[in-house]
Amino acid sequence: MKHFDNVFILNDKNIGISKIELNKDELFVVDKNYRYSLCIHIYNWKEINNINTGEKKKIDFNEYCFNEKNESALIWPTNCYIEKLTKDSIIFYLDFNDFSDICYMNKRNGFDIDLKSIEVKIYINYNDAKEGSIIYAYTI
């Protein structure tokens, strides 16, 4: 079996991953320093499950939230696709390069950093599911 590296890149710097959680409603990824996270709200599992093995398909999700220190902003991806590797494994790939329509959900209407790019690539194996969720936690 080929090895896949999960990545969380912010402004062209790999910020690592401490946790990935996938359940019926969302994909949640947290960086290794617990400062940043990305949450994708999923409503279209039927569309995802209908992707053929070996196929990449552009998929739009309901909502994309980037968080800095638990303060959120709604962002929209430049590219977003699912790749089905096997019957039981998929890759979520998202990148964000245009933040002109960002919608901050905090009083200061911004973050400590200037967002230039975000890239996330997450490998999921359905066989890792327990009680309806898949959780990958990484020690640092």
Side-chain angles (χ1 to χ4, degrees), residues 58-121:
K58 182 182 182 323
I59 300 276
D60 292 318
F61 297 107
N62 196 35
E63 189 174 280
Y64 310 83
C65 292
F66 179 76
N67 302 288
E68 179 189 62
K69 297 187 276 182
N70 293 321
E71 292 185 331
S72 298
L74 292 174
I75 57 176
W76 292 266
T78 307
N79 293 299
C80 181
Y81 68 80
I82 301 288
E83 181 177 2
K84 190 165 190 176
L85 301 173
T86 68
K87 176 178 83 88
D88 298 317
S89 62
I90 62 174
I91 289 178
F92 286 84
Y93 176 81
L94 302 103
D95 76 53
F96 305 82
N97 296 328
D98 179 2
F99 298 98
S100 60
D101 290 337
I102 193 167
C103 179
Y104 292 99
M105 295 183 280
N106 59 21
K107 289 182 180 181
R108 61 190 170 109
N109 200 33
F111 287 144
D112 292 343
I113 60 162
D114 181 29
L115 289 176
K116 295 179 181 126
S117 66
I118 300 170
E119 181 179 359
V120 176
K121 188 172 184 181

Side-chain angles (χ1 to χ4, degrees), residues 17-86:
I17 296 173
S18 65
K19 181 179 179 181
I20 298 167
E21 183 172 351
L22 176 68
N23 60 48
K24 68 180 183 72
D25 298 321
E26 65 187 15
L27 172 64
F28 186 67
V29 182
V30 181
D31 81 299
K32 68 180 178 182
N33 292 317
Y34 304 97
R35 181 179 178 123
Y36 303 104
S37 63
L38 182 68
C39 183
I40 297 20
H41 296 273
I42 302 171
Y43 66 94
N44 46 354
W45 280 108
K46 185 175 181 180
E47 184 180 2
I48 293 168
N49 291 331
N50 285 333
I51 298 172
N52 295 318
T53 300
E55 180 183 12
K56 283 184 188 179
K57 185 172 182 185
K58 182 182 182 323
I59 300 276
D60 292 318
F61 297 107
N62 196 35
E63 189 174 280
Y64 310 83
C65 292
F66 179 76
N67 302 288
E68 179 189 62
K69 297 187 276 182
N70 293 321
E71 292 185 331
S72 298
L74 292 174
I75 57 176
W76 292 266
T78 307
N79 293 299
C80 181
Y81 68 80
I82 301 288
E83 181 177 2
K84 190 165 190 176
L85 301 173
T86 68

